[in-house]
Amino acid sequence: MEQSINTKCVQAGYTPKNGEPRQIPIVQSTTFKYDTSEDMGKLFDLEASGYFYSRLQNPTNDYVAAKIAALEGGAAAMLTSSGQAANFFALFNICEAGSHIVASSSIYGGTFNLIAVTLKKMGIDSTFVSPDASEEELNKAFQRNTRAVFGETIANPALTVLDIEKFAKVAHEHGVPLIVDNTFPTPVNCRPIEWGADIVTHSTTKYMDGHGAAVGGCVVDSGKFDWMAHADKFPGLCTPDESYHGITYAEKFGQAGAFITKATAQLMRDLGCVQSPQSAFILNLGLESLHVRMPRHVENGQAVAEFLEKQPQVASVSYPTLPSNKYYKLAQKYLPNGGCGVVSFELKGGRAAAEKFMKNLKLAAIETHVADARTCCLNPATSTHRQMTDEQLEAAGIPAGLVRMSCGLEDKNDLIADIKNALAAI
Ligand SMILES: *Cc1c(COP(=O)(O)O)cnc(C)c1O
């Protein structure tokens, strides 16, 4: 019988042998010792698996990556230094100068910037589509050089819900993988691979860590995308890598191993966005209680959203599991146990009202952060999304008076009392 995700949160990824530490060891070592140069040579040739330098791989990181792979139902995973690095690696592992990406316009500001500005400077083009686009509209966004489709299960901060099955179907019809950033629901509330996603990414900085303690990211490969069937599109995986003695990743490591092995051997080697083993240890502490914490975040988010919806100072509330929400149906399908603790709402009175409201909150702090134990809030137009034009903000569904509130693990009645006070001050 397959273990429940609850058990996997606690125990997957690391099984100590007789007499070994019960908790995962922090391997605080940059390097690893070998008896012969032949042993070491095999590692460099990717003939044997093992560790040689912590810029590429470290045992602590691998225990935790294996846990996240198990949680998502993936074949392999790697930790990265941040969520930004995870999305960059997921895309850059299959895109190069001359490639093109189709991305949902409703995504995290940092990822929007990565795709629209930084990847563009590297010669990778992109077309943004509405998360609500029909199959026909999605089809129109594809070009001959399209190499990936990207979206977020629940978008940060717009809280749109991605129709994963639809996006996966269209991506596959065009012979490219769907990459889904699953940071907000976490695998406890949604597992995109079960709905057809090929690659899943995370900012582990958020709920997975869950305590605002360590920045990190993760890339999970489903192992289900047949790279060789589209070899012309993915030369990096399907033709010999001269920087690795002519290894062809998709041949040597198969469908289940190629993507993460290449990202480790090539991108981590050259770009070095590795997570520190200390951070991986902290991340694992968070993962051990993820299945206990997520339901409480959802309970608090739902209670706050329902309360806000009834307040006269509030123009609109965006929370996918409210029956009034545009994404309610999709949420019922993809998020039957709820989504996350993040609630977005627009105050009547725009930026000024948002600033007054936030100043008067006592429990909820103003932070450029979401998804940890302590409730916090933010006005995206004046912070995370200030690089976007008003048109881009509108397209991403982020009006100027929008407040994003991340409900933590406090008592919901205390949170509602705090919000009530702050609303009265506007
Ligand atoms: C925060 C976030 C990121 C970026 O992650 P960092 O760990 O801050 O680099 C990417 N995607 C989503 C959905 C996020 O919320």
Side-chain angles (χ1 to χ4, degrees), residues 47-63:
E47 286 298 331
S49 65
Y51 300 93
F52 50 92
Y53 192 50
S54 284
R55 188 205 324 125
L56 284 91
Q57 260 181 314
N58 175 284
T60 310
N61 292 18
D62 282 355
Y63 298 139

PDB file of all heavy atoms in Angstrom, residues 47-63:
ATOM      1  N   GLU A  47      29.947   8.010 -14.195  1.00  0.00           N
ATOM      2  CA  GLU A  47      29.879   6.549 -14.296  1.00  0.00           C
ATOM      3  C   GLU A  47      29.425   5.959 -12.966  1.00  0.00           C
ATOM      4  O   GLU A  47      28.825   4.890 -12.921  1.00  0.00           O
ATOM      5  CB  GLU A  47      31.260   5.971 -14.664  1.00  0.00           C
ATOM      6  CG  GLU A  47      31.675   6.197 -16.104  1.00  0.00           C
ATOM      7  CD  GLU A  47      30.741   5.544 -17.113  1.00  0.00           C
ATOM      8  OE1 GLU A  47      30.134   4.513 -16.771  1.00  0.00           O
ATOM      9  OE2 GLU A  47      30.602   6.090 -18.228  1.00  0.00           O
ATOM     10  N   ALA A  48      29.770   6.630 -11.874  1.00  0.00           N
ATOM     11  CA  ALA A  48      29.322   6.201 -10.547  1.00  0.00           C
ATOM     12  C   ALA A  48      28.621   7.385  -9.893  1.00  0.00           C
ATOM     13  O   ALA A  48      28.896   8.532 -10.236  1.00  0.00           O
ATOM     14  CB  ALA A  48      30.519   5.772  -9.711  1.00  0.00           C
ATOM     15  N   SER A  49      27.668   7.104  -8.970  1.00  0.00           N
ATOM     16  CA  SER A  49      27.039   8.224  -8.283  1.00  0.00           C
ATOM     17  C   SER A  49      27.694   8.378  -6.918  1.00  0.00           C
ATOM     18  O   SER A  49      28.078   7.397  -6.280  1.00  0.00           O
ATOM     19  CB  SER A  49      25.533   8.019  -8.159  1.00  0.00           C
ATOM     20  OG  SER A  49      25.276   6.914  -7.340  1.00  0.00           O
ATOM     21  N   GLY A  50      27.867   9.614  -6.515  1.00  0.00           N
ATOM     22  CA  GLY A  50      28.535   9.902  -5.256  1.00  0.00           C
ATOM     23  C   GLY A  50      28.775  11.389  -5.176  1.00  0.00           C
ATOM     24  O   GLY A  50      28.324  12.144  -6.043  1.00  0.00           O
ATOM     25  N   TYR A  51      29.479  11.787  -4.141  1.00  0.00           N
ATOM     26  CA  TYR A  51      29.666  13.221  -3.908  1.00  0.00           C
ATOM     27  C   TYR A  51      31.120  13.593  -4.099  1.00  0.00           C
ATOM     28  O   TYR A  51      32.006  12.820  -3.749  1.00  0.00           O
ATOM     29  CB  TYR A  51      29.211  13.558  -2.485  1.00  0.00           C
ATOM     30  CG  TYR A  51      27.758  13.219  -2.291  1.00  0.00           C
ATOM     31  CD1 TYR A  51      27.370  11.980  -1.793  1.00  0.00           C
ATOM     32  CD2 TYR A  51      26.780  14.120  -2.676  1.00  0.00           C
ATOM     33  CE1 TYR A  51      26.028  11.653  -1.665  1.00  0.00           C
ATOM     34  CE2 TYR A  51      25.431  13.812  -2.550  1.00  0.00           C
ATOM     35  CZ  TYR A  51      25.075  12.572  -2.046  1.00  0.00           C
ATOM     36  OH  TYR A  51      23.744  12.269  -1.944  1.00  0.00           O
ATOM     37  N   PHE A  52      31.358  14.755  -4.706  1.00  0.00           N
ATOM     38  CA  PHE A  52      32.737  15.220  -4.727  1.00  0.00           C
ATOM     39  C   PHE A  52      32.899  16.670  -4.318  1.00  0.00           C
ATOM     40  O   PHE A  52      33.944  17.054  -3.822  1.00  0.00           O
ATOM     41  CB  PHE A  52      33.435  14.923  -6.065  1.00  0.00           C
ATOM     42  CG  PHE A  52      32.687  15.339  -7.307  1.00  0.00           C
ATOM     43  CD1 PHE A  52      32.896  16.586  -7.867  1.00  0.00           C
ATOM     44  CD2 PHE A  52      31.815  14.463  -7.921  1.00  0.00           C
ATOM     45  CE1 PHE A  52      32.227  16.970  -9.027  1.00  0.00           C
ATOM     46  CE2 PHE A  52      31.141  14.832  -9.084  1.00  0.00           C
ATOM     47  CZ  PHE A  52      31.340  16.087  -9.635  1.00  0.00           C
ATOM     48  N   TYR A  53      31.836  17.471  -4.474  1.00  0.00           N
ATOM     49  CA  TYR A  53      31.977  18.877  -4.108  1.00  0.00           C
ATOM     50  C   TYR A  53      30.588  19.433  -3.824  1.00  0.00           C
ATOM     51  O   TYR A  53      29.673  19.243  -4.628  1.00  0.00           O
ATOM     52  CB  TYR A  53      32.660  19.631  -5.268  1.00  0.00           C
ATOM     53  CG  TYR A  53      33.132  21.027  -4.926  1.00  0.00           C
ATOM     54  CD1 TYR A  53      33.902  21.255  -3.797  1.00  0.00           C
ATOM     55  CD2 TYR A  53      32.813  22.106  -5.739  1.00  0.00           C
ATOM     56  CE1 TYR A  53      34.329  22.535  -3.480  1.00  0.00           C
ATOM     57  CE2 TYR A  53      33.240  23.390  -5.429  1.00  0.00           C
ATOM     58  CZ  TYR A  53      34.005  23.593  -4.301  1.00  0.00           C
ATOM     59  OH  TYR A  53      34.426  24.853  -3.986  1.00  0.00           O
ATOM     60  N   SER A  54      30.411  20.129  -2.715  1.00  0.00           N
ATOM     61  CA  SER A  54      29.072  20.556  -2.282  1.00  0.00           C
ATOM     62  C   SER A  54      28.494  21.701  -3.116  1.00  0.00           C
ATOM     63  O   SER A  54      27.366  22.105  -2.877  1.00  0.00           O
ATOM     64  CB  SER A  54      29.060  20.922  -0.791  1.00  0.00           C
ATOM     65  OG  SER A  54      29.065  19.748  -0.009  1.00  0.00           O
ATOM     66  N   ARG A  55      29.258  22.217  -4.096  1.00  0.00           N
ATOM     67  CA  ARG A  55      28.618  23.169  -5.009  1.00  0.00           C
ATOM     68  C   ARG A  55      27.630  22.449  -5.914  1.00  0.00           C
ATOM     69  O   ARG A  55      26.685  23.036  -6.416  1.00  0.00           O
ATOM     70  CB  ARG A  55      29.641  23.926  -5.863  1.00  0.00           C
ATOM     71  CG  ARG A  55      28.964  25.032  -6.650  1.00  0.00           C
ATOM     72  CD  ARG A  55      29.631  25.504  -7.936  1.00  0.00           C
ATOM     73  NE  ARG A  55      31.039  25.532  -7.955  1.00  0.00           N
ATOM     74  CZ  ARG A  55      31.757  24.892  -8.894  1.00  0.00           C
ATOM     75  NH1 ARG A  55      31.169  24.180  -9.844  1.00  0.00           N
ATOM     76  NH2 ARG A  55      33.055  24.963  -8.873  1.00  0.00           N
ATOM     77  N   LEU A  56      27.863  21.155  -6.139  1.00  0.00           N
ATOM     78  CA  LEU A  56      26.958  20.390  -7.006  1.00  0.00           C
ATOM     79  C   LEU A  56      25.925  19.595  -6.213  1.00  0.00           C
ATOM     80  O   LEU A  56      24.754  19.578  -6.553  1.00  0.00           O
ATOM     81  CB  LEU A  56      27.759  19.428  -7.904  1.00  0.00           C
ATOM     82  CG  LEU A  56      28.468  20.104  -9.069  1.00  0.00           C
ATOM     83  CD1 LEU A  56      29.881  20.511  -8.662  1.00  0.00           C
ATOM     84  CD2 LEU A  56      28.514  19.172 -10.267  1.00  0.00           C
ATOM     85  N   GLN A  57      26.373  18.911  -5.204  1.00  0.00           N
ATOM     86  CA  GLN A  57      25.498  17.990  -4.483  1.00  0.00           C
ATOM     87  C   GLN A  57      26.025  17.767  -3.090  1.00  0.00           C
ATOM     88  O   GLN A  57      27.234  17.798  -2.876  1.00  0.00           O
ATOM     89  CB  GLN A  57      25.501  16.624  -5.182  1.00  0.00           C
ATOM     90  CG  GLN A  57      24.308  16.364  -6.080  1.00  0.00           C
ATOM     91  CD  GLN A  57      24.388  14.977  -6.693  1.00  0.00           C
ATOM     92  OE1 GLN A  57      25.437  14.583  -7.184  1.00  0.00           O
ATOM     93  NE2 GLN A  57      23.295  14.253  -6.661  1.00  0.00           N
ATOM     94  N   ASN A  58      25.109  17.511  -2.172  1.00  0.00           N
ATOM     95  CA  ASN A  58      25.480  17.252  -0.791  1.00  0.00           C
ATOM     96  C   ASN A  58      24.462  16.250  -0.238  1.00  0.00           C
ATOM     97  O   ASN A  58      23.280  16.343  -0.562  1.00  0.00           O
ATOM     98  CB  ASN A  58      25.436  18.587  -0.024  1.00  0.00           C
ATOM     99  CG  ASN A  58      25.684  18.416   1.460  1.00  0.00           C
ATOM    100  OD1 ASN A  58      24.811  17.968   2.190  1.00  0.00           O
ATOM    101  ND2 ASN A  58      26.865  18.780   1.900  1.00  0.00           N
ATOM    102  N   PRO A  59      24.894  15.287   0.573  1.00  0.00           N
ATOM    103  CA  PRO A  59      23.958  14.263   1.053  1.00  0.00           C
ATOM    104  C   PRO A  59      22.746  14.829   1.795  1.00  0.00           C
ATOM    105  O   PRO A  59      21.624  14.339   1.605  1.00  0.00           O
ATOM    106  CB  PRO A  59      24.825  13.403   1.993  1.00  0.00           C
ATOM    107  CG  PRO A  59      26.241  13.642   1.557  1.00  0.00           C
ATOM    108  CD  PRO A  59      26.288  15.032   1.022  1.00  0.00           C
ATOM    109  N   THR A  60      22.946  15.863   2.623  1.00  0.00           N
ATOM    110  CA  THR A  60      21.808  16.435   3.368  1.00  0.00           C
ATOM    111  C   THR A  60      20.752  16.948   2.390  1.00  0.00           C
ATOM    112  O   THR A  60      19.558  16.673   2.532  1.00  0.00           O
ATOM    113  CB  THR A  60      22.289  17.590   4.281  1.00  0.00           C
ATOM    114  OG1 THR A  60      23.410  17.144   5.032  1.00  0.00           O
ATOM    115  CG2 THR A  60      21.183  18.031   5.226  1.00  0.00           C
ATOM    116  N   ASN A  61      21.220  17.690   1.385  1.00  0.00           N
ATOM    117  CA  ASN A  61      20.295  18.214   0.385  1.00  0.00           C
ATOM    118  C   ASN A  61      19.552  17.076  -0.307  1.00  0.00           C
ATOM    119  O   ASN A  61      18.346  17.185  -0.585  1.00  0.00           O
ATOM    120  CB  ASN A  61      21.054  19.010  -0.681  1.00  0.00           C
ATOM    121  CG  ASN A  61      21.649  20.293  -0.133  1.00  0.00           C
ATOM    122  OD1 ASN A  61      21.799  20.443   1.064  1.00  0.00           O
ATOM    123  ND2 ASN A  61      21.986  21.206  -1.019  1.00  0.00           N
ATOM    124  N   ASP A  62      20.272  16.009  -0.599  1.00  0.00           N
ATOM    125  CA  ASP A  62      19.644  14.913  -1.350  1.00  0.00           C
ATOM    126  C   ASP A  62      18.582  14.175  -0.534  1.00  0.00           C
ATOM    127  O   ASP A  62      17.582  13.729  -1.085  1.00  0.00           O
ATOM    128  CB  ASP A  62      20.712  13.947  -1.867  1.00  0.00           C
ATOM    129  CG  ASP A  62      21.423  14.508  -3.108  1.00  0.00           C
ATOM    130  OD1 ASP A  62      21.009  15.591  -3.591  1.00  0.00           O
ATOM    131  OD2 ASP A  62      22.375  13.886  -3.585  1.00  0.00           O
ATOM    132  N   TYR A  63      18.781  14.046   0.789  1.00  0.00           N
ATOM    133  CA  TYR A  63      17.725  13.437   1.621  1.00  0.00           C
ATOM    134  C   TYR A  63      16.448  14.263   1.502  1.00  0.00           C
ATOM    135  O   TYR A  63      15.342  13.729   1.349  1.00  0.00           O
ATOM    136  CB  TYR A  63      18.116  13.412   3.109  1.00  0.00           C
ATOM    137  CG  TYR A  63      19.346  12.606   3.457  1.00  0.00           C
ATOM    138  CD1 TYR A  63      20.268  13.090   4.388  1.00  0.00           C
ATOM    139  CD2 TYR A  63      19.578  11.360   2.890  1.00  0.00           C
ATOM    140  CE1 TYR A  63      21.401  12.360   4.732  1.00  0.00           C
ATOM    141  CE2 TYR A  63      20.714  10.626   3.233  1.00  0.00           C
ATOM    142  CZ  TYR A  63      21.624  11.129   4.143  1.00  0.00           C
ATOM    143  OH  TYR A  63      22.736  10.415   4.486  1.00  0.00           O
TER     144      TYR A  63
END
